[in-house]
């Protein structure tokens, strides 16, 4: 299916890593089914996938694993 954003690429099914923040916490969800444009990288989800993502994040299900990640400040250099 042609990409709705760039109108050039084709959307291909892939499993991706979805990230979001909630209450100043980074949440990662792995192996999320999505359609990804092979040209511009635009990601789209089916309504069922969006609903499941919301359940995982809002209900704060038990994670399959926990990772530590560094946080950096973006500062303009002179």
């Amino acid at each position: 299916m042609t990409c709705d954003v760039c109108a050039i690429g084709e959307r291909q099914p892939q499993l991706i890593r979805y990230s979001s923040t909630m209450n100043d916490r980074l949440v990662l969800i792995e192996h999320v089914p999505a359609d990804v444009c092979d040209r511009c990288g635009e990601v789209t989800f089916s309504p069922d996938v969006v609903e499941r993502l919301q359940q995982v994040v809002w209900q704060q299900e038990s994670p399959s694993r926990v990772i530590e990640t560094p946080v950096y400040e973006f500062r303009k250099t002179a």
Side-chain angles (χ1 to χ4, degrees):
M1 183 178 276
T2 303
C3 178
D4 296 330
V5 175
C6 71
I8 297 170
E10 294 292 319
R11 291 186 290 173
Q12 304 294 327
Q14 291 184 23
L15 295 178
I16 67 162
R17 178 182 289 162
Y18 174 82
S19 63
S20 181
T21 54
M22 183 173 178
N23 299 327
D24 206 30
R25 284 184 49 210
L26 175 64
V27 176
L28 297 175
I29 304 172
E30 296 183 313
H31 309 113
V32 178
D35 289 327
V36 181
C37 176
D38 61 7
R39 171 82 177 190
C40 71
E42 177 70 16
V43 175
T44 55
F45 302 107
S46 72
D48 291 342
V49 169
V50 171
E51 186 174 322
R52 180 67 183 124
L53 287 169
Q54 290 173 340
Q55 286 175 350
V56 171
V57 173
W58 292 344
Q59 294 176 5
Q60 297 182 6
E61 295 183 11
S62 295
S64 57
R65 63 190 174 107
V66 176
I67 60 174
E68 184 178 341
T69 186
V71 176
Y72 299 94
E73 290 287 332
F74 178 83
R75 294 188 187 122
K76 291 175 90 175
T77 56

